[in-house]
Amino acid sequence: MTELSLRLAVSFAQILAEMSIVMITVATLTYFERKVLGWMQDRMGPMEVGPYGLLQPVADGIKLFFKEDIVPAGANKAMFALAPMLTMVVSMIGFAVIPFGPNITLDIFGMTIKPFVVADINIGILYILAIASIGAYGIILGGWASNSKYSLLGGLRAAAQVISYELNVGLAIVGVLMLAGTMSMVEITEAQAGGFWHWFIWGGRPDGFFPIHTQIFAFVVFVISAVAETNRIPFDLPEAESELVAGFFTEYSGMRFAFFVSAEYANMMLVSCVASALFLGGWNAPYPGTIFEYVGLEQLAWIEHIVWFAAKVYFFLFMFIWIRATLPRLRYDQLMRFGWKVMLPIALANIIVTSFTLYFFPR
Amino acid sequence: MELAFFIYFAAVIAATSVMVVAVRNPIYSAIALLIMFFHVAGLYVTLHAEFLAAVQVIVYAGAILVLYLFVVMLLNLRQDDRYHRQWPMAAAVGATLVIEAVILTVMKGWTTPVVAAGTETTVEGTSNAGAIGDVLYSTYLFPFEVASLILLVAMIGAILLAKKDIVEVNSEG
């Protein structure tokens, strides 16, 4: 029993650490997004609170915390309260299987602990897909429970959009799963060790540089579908400001509104983590080994790994903002046609091509 | 420990299943069904079938139930009393099932369980996704293909129903 409680304590510590990292990154992202958007539009971005507006996330947090919580008349109170909670929880628990750093094990009190991943389960990527599919419920229920036309329309759009693009996400990763031969996020990342030509986006064989198993099409499909799944511009129809006020969270205020917004940022971060772990080698450096190893500091190599992982994730996060500053919103029929008639065939063709190349040129 | 989990999952599955048909608001029914799907997935995890658990959540909770909710919300059914005059029928069916379950439980000690030879397949593998894949594409290849064929037929049927007018216009012209 003591071992069980010790294990629980270690798990809780890991979960706490991971959640703090995610929440801090979400807060940073709100600042980062406004600043980058500002620069891209030839503005300064937030400048008032703190030096260069650095304390803006803190000010926003305090403001949202003290805002009045309004529940519209005629709203379904239970569902109205449930929706933001569901969205927030779902966006948080997906991180449990993301390997933030190298797959090293520590022995503490006779237990083996993997410090950089909360749970290394053998269906890691399926777990993330399952969690992501639950995310739609928060949006749909929030839209329905608000008892408002705009919210309901936003919720309906979200349901259709998330289902359509989830399929593409699922199909896009099949090629990677075939190359790695496993569904564990840790093992998928480890299979890409040893230089950027081993990353699944190129898919070079270990004995040569020629990228015969390249997953670059799957990568493009995955990234576009990921943008759609997180309801970001140009796929932000569920919350289109110019059409639906704010879509499914029109009626929300205060901390509930904050829950929806931070869940969106956390989801962005989650898909960025998944994209870098599946296609860009996760915590592997783009060169074989690590610099710390070359200079004889093997025990510090994990720092370099984590820095590389963070760099890849922030690259994707920057790209999300970049896309937002660049592209206009899709029309609804364009969104559906693009998802079903362009992305889906590409993802399916990628599976067929990858299985053929794997059959003729096994890894 | 495992028994405790089983009792919890089984109790919640039973309770939510009753709620799905007993609750009047269709949205609450859908939510009860969602909770039930999760607990069925939990039951799979206690049986070490993690792959099935994940697929259960992805397919049923993530896709099918979202479509249900979509339709319910689109029709905006706040409350529907049409389907709630069937309690006598439900009670009769339920009572039969309960008696059957009791008899089966009591009989369990008297008869030895009959396991048909050759239905159990042991698979040497590291992951249970791999094991399911092996079995599905070797032993159960034919049922698997038949199932996919049925799905294809259903899909074509749905498209035909939805696009009926287009087909008619084409045949006329």
Side-chain angles (χ1 to χ4, degrees):
Chain A
M1 208 60 201
T2 47
E3 208 217 312
L4 185 71
S5 47
L6 202 64
R7 193 162 276 281
L8 274 178
V10 170
S11 290
F12 275 126
Q14 274 186 311
I15 291 168
L16 199 68
E18 179 233 282
M19 268 190 73
S20 346
I21 294 171
V22 173
M23 284 318 286
I24 290 170
T25 315
V26 165
T28 320
L29 261 181
T30 58
Y31 173 75
F32 188 57
E33 170 153 42
R34 293 175 64 178
K35 211 68 183 168
V36 172
L37 272 182
W39 289 331
M40 283 181 178
Q41 296 164 357
D42 205 12
R43 295 185 283 120
M44 301 286 269
M47 287 297 281
E48 292 295 322
V49 194
Y52 297 98
L54 270 171
L55 294 177
Q56 189 66 45
V58 183
D60 284 344
I62 293 171
K63 182 194 80 176
L64 283 168
F65 195 78
F66 287 108
K67 282 261 181 179
E68 188 190 350
D69 177 40
I70 302 166
V71 181
N76 185 324
K77 290 205 175 52
M79 293 296 154
F80 191 79
L82 177 71
M85 285 193 258
L86 196 66
T87 315
M88 189 70 187
V89 168
V90 160
S91 69
M92 282 293 174
I93 57 180
F95 288 95
V97 294
I98 299 285
F100 288 90
N103 185 22
I104 54 178
T105 50
L106 292 178
D107 281 301
I108 303 175
F109 307 120
M111 292 186 311
T112 48
I113 298 167
K114 291 182 176 175
F116 297 118
V117 55
V118 176
D120 176 20
I121 54 178
N122 58 3
I123 49 155
I125 186 65
L126 279 185
Y127 169 81
I128 290 182
L129 286 183
I131 293 305
S133 63
I134 301 308
Y137 282 96
I139 296 176
I140 298 171
L141 287 177
W144 176 79
S146 301
N147 193 25
S148 137
K149 288 185 186 64
Y150 295 124
S151 299
L152 185 66
L153 276 174
L156 288 174
R157 283 183 178 188
Q161 176 176 331
V162 169
I163 289 181
S164 313
Y165 279 84
E166 220 168 57
L167 197 66
N168 298 330
V169 169
L171 289 174
I173 61 169
V174 171
V176 169
L177 298 187
M178 283 196 285
L179 289 181
T182 172
M183 284 191 269
S184 153
M185 296 293 282
V186 175
E187 286 170 36
I188 290 173
T189 314
E190 275 193 323
Q192 305 173 64
F196 70 89
W197 54 92
H198 289 165
W199 294 355
F200 285 145
I201 186 174
W202 307 126
R205 286 203 288 170
D207 58 344
F209 286 11
F210 187 66
I212 184 82
H213 301 309
T214 180
Q215 293 297 311
I216 192 154
F217 296 105
F219 175 71
V220 172
V221 170
F222 181 90
V223 171
I224 295 176
S225 307
V227 178
E229 264 215 85
T230 48
N231 298 328
R232 295 276 305 178
I233 290 175
F235 301 101
D236 68 333
L237 287 117
E239 48 191 84
E241 289 92 351
S242 44
E243 305 164 22
L244 297 179
V245 187
F248 59 91
F249 55 70
T250 304
E251 305 292 340
Y252 281 90
S253 58
M255 274 317 274
R256 296 184 187 183
F257 172 79
F259 268 31
F260 273 122
V261 175
S262 33
E264 188 181 312
Y265 282 109
N267 277 331
M268 271 164 67
M269 204 182 145
L270 183 64
V271 292
S272 303
C273 286
V274 174
S276 25
L278 291 185
F279 294 99
L280 296 188
W283 37 262
N284 290 305
Y287 39 82
T290 52
I291 291 172
F292 275 112
E293 262 172 42
Y294 295 142
V295 299
L297 289 165
E298 285 91 353
Q299 64 273 28
L300 290 178
W302 58 274
I303 297 175
E304 196 175 333
H305 285 308
I306 287 181
V307 168
W308 274 113
F309 188 71
K312 286 166 192 171
V313 171
Y314 268 90
F315 163 72
F316 279 112
L317 291 175
F318 175 74
M319 208 186 63
F320 270 105
I321 299 168
W322 190 8
I323 290 172
R324 175 174 171 181
T326 311
L327 296 175
R329 183 181 307 128
L330 266 75
R331 220 170 50 216
Y332 196 75
D333 59 321
Q334 292 172 332
L335 172 96
M336 282 297 155
R337 195 184 315 133
F338 187 61
W340 289 100
K341 293 191 173 172
V342 180
M343 308 283 273
L344 192 69
I346 294 176
L348 282 174
N350 177 65
I351 294 175
I352 295 168
V353 170
T354 309
S355 48
F356 270 102
T357 57
L358 265 179
Y359 184 74
F360 290 114
F361 306 96
R363 283 166 67 82
Chain B
M1 192 74 175
E2 268 181 29
L3 188 70
F5 274 116
F6 172 76
I7 290 172
Y8 164 70
F9 285 130
V12 175
I13 288 170
T16 46
S17 311
V18 171
M19 273 179 69
V20 170
V21 287
V23 172
R24 299 212 161 195
N25 188 330
I27 300 275
Y28 289 158
S29 285
I31 299 298
L33 199 60
L34 176 67
I35 298 170
M36 197 202 81
F37 285 148
F38 266 91
H39 285 79
V40 172
L43 215 52
Y44 287 145
V45 172
T46 61
L47 295 170
H48 299 288
E50 297 93 356
F51 179 77
L52 266 187
V55 171
Q56 164 88 12
V57 173
I58 294 173
V59 173
Y60 284 100
I64 293 178
L65 195 56
V66 171
L67 284 178
Y68 281 3
L69 260 185
F70 190 83
V71 173
V72 168
M73 277 166 48
L74 212 57
L75 299 177
N76 208 10
L77 298 170
R78 287 281 159 159
Q79 200 159 319
D80 200 335
D81 292 323
R82 272 184 302 170
Y83 304 113
H84 289 278
R85 289 180 203 134
Q86 300 168 351
W87 279 110
M89 194 63 197
V93 174
T96 321
L97 284 175
V98 166
I99 292 166
E100 197 176 345
V102 168
I103 290 172
L104 283 176
T105 321
V106 173
M107 291 259 291
K108 203 183 166 194
W110 299 350
T111 54
T112 49
V114 186
V115 178
T119 51
E120 276 188 30
T121 320
T122 47
V123 183
E124 300 289 323
T126 48
S127 66
N128 72 49
I132 288 175
D134 275 351
V135 175
L136 216 51
Y137 283 101
S138 55
T139 318
Y140 299 107
L141 180 63
F142 184 66
F144 180 72
E145 291 297 336
V146 169
S148 60
L149 198 67
I150 290 172
L151 282 177
L152 185 68
V153 170
M155 249 165 66
I156 294 171
I159 293 170
L160 263 179
L161 283 178
K163 298 275 179 186
K164 211 172 182 178
D165 45 341
I166 295 176
V167 176
E168 277 167 7
V169 168
N170 281 351
S171 59
E172 281 166 16

